[in-house]
Amino acid sequence: MISKEKTLQAVETMFDMFPEAHGELVSNNAFEMLIAVILSAQATDVSVNKVTPALFAAYPTPEALSEAPMEGIIDKIKSIGLYRNKAKNIKACAGELLLRFDGQVPHSREDLVSLPGVGRKTANVVMGDAFGIPAIAVDTHVERVSKRLRICRLDANVVEVEQTLMKKIPESLWVKTHHSMIFFGRYHCTARSPKCDSCPLLAMCQEGKIRMKAKTSKS
Ligand code: SF4
């Protein structure tokens, strides 16, 4: 695994490459952010952003969403994957917010993961993006990039990836690292065709060196 210093150097390079990196889900408040993140599981942010304006216009508050008919919610979100389950979860989640949190989105990870449809990754995104609380949400891009660069072990699970990143990166940079690593994974170190030949991290990247060697021996 690469050192703390090298890890910091790698994420700072990502900051330079993607200074505009940010959460791409559109929301106007913590409630909308929470619902949008639940909807984004196994769906693209773009597809979620297409359905949320009509969903939030129809059901703008936890009260309205908890009382909404299932068919009404399904009708608004049916273009995204797993929509039936997600409709059930967001309605139940809105009900729990009312029942247990006075209609407010809780700030702690423990409370967030107690809500229907909310796992650790969703909780971390909400903490970071809605409340500015340091957290690193590990999605497919963060996991892939962390492993390719050997920031963490190749066999690490998502919680271990998160913990390793938290140990190696200063807390003040966690949210920025999360966004920059997602942009780096989405637009540069992509799953199928990472741009190793033009990558500023190639000199420190095991995976990149292996890929470049394989490419050279083929040509
Ligand atoms: Fe990703 Fe290749 Fe860069 Fe390594 S060298 S970080 S695999 S793009």
Side-chain angles (χ1 to χ4, degrees):
M1 289 200 292
I2 61 170
S3 65
K4 241 181 175 181
E5 291 67 33
K6 282 246 157 50
T7 302
L8 196 53
Q9 199 186 319
V11 296
E12 278 171 350
T13 301
M14 293 175 207
F15 297 165
D16 290 343
M17 287 172 79
F18 298 101
E20 79 292 2
H22 60 280
E24 294 188 295
L25 288 171
V26 176
S27 67
N28 294 302
N29 53 49
F31 168 65
E32 290 187 5
M33 165 68 67
L34 172 62
I35 299 303
V37 185
I38 294 174
L39 294 177
S40 72
Q42 293 176 53
T44 63
D45 291 354
V46 172
S47 69
V48 173
N49 288 339
K50 279 188 188 147
V51 305
T52 45
L55 178 73
F56 297 142
Y59 313 118
T61 61
E63 288 89 340
L65 187 57
S66 68
E67 287 164 10
M70 277 297 286
E71 311 74 57
I73 301 175
I74 285 174
D75 185 56
K76 299 275 184 289
I77 67 167
K78 65 186 174 206
S79 61
I80 57 172
L82 309 174
Y83 65 90
R84 281 186 195 282
N85 212 28
K86 287 177 183 175
K88 214 190 316 164
N89 278 337
I90 61 174
K91 181 176 165 74
C93 180
E96 290 285 307
L97 289 179
L98 280 180
L99 197 67
R100 294 168 43 218
F101 299 104
D102 204 21
Q104 302 299 310
V105 177
H107 287 46
S108 79
R109 183 181 293 113
E110 193 187 355
D111 285 338
L112 283 163
V113 297
S114 73
L115 295 165
V118 180
R120 189 178 176 96
K121 186 183 75 169
T122 300
N124 285 352
V125 174
V126 173
M127 285 166 64
D129 286 354
F131 303 126
I133 299 169
I136 300 181
V138 178
D139 73 348
T140 179
H141 301 297
V142 174
E143 180 177 4
R144 184 179 64 255
V145 168
S146 299
K147 289 185 176 176
R148 281 182 173 168
L149 281 163
R150 307 293 192 263
I151 292 172
C152 62
R153 292 195 331 268
L154 287 178
D155 62 352
N157 62 36
V158 284
V159 176
E160 289 168 338
V161 174
E162 181 187 325
Q163 286 167 345
T164 305
L165 288 168
M166 286 161 69
K167 265 191 226 145
K168 291 185 166 180
I169 295 163
E171 193 177 288
S172 59
L173 297 177
W174 289 354
V175 175
K176 194 173 177 185
T177 296
H178 158 73
H179 291 312
S180 302
M181 221 178 240
I182 289 176
F183 269 55
F184 184 79
R186 193 177 280 160
Y187 303 113
H188 180 87
C189 186
T190 58
R192 291 201 184 152
S193 316
K195 301 182 175 103
C196 302
D197 33 12
S198 64
C199 184
L201 297 178
L202 179 60
M204 72 161 78
C205 181
Q206 286 277 334
E207 173 91 15
K209 284 179 194 156
I210 294 166
R211 284 173 179 267
M212 292 303 289
K213 206 170 165 186
K215 208 172 159 184
T216 318
S217 61
K218 259 192 220 161
S219 57

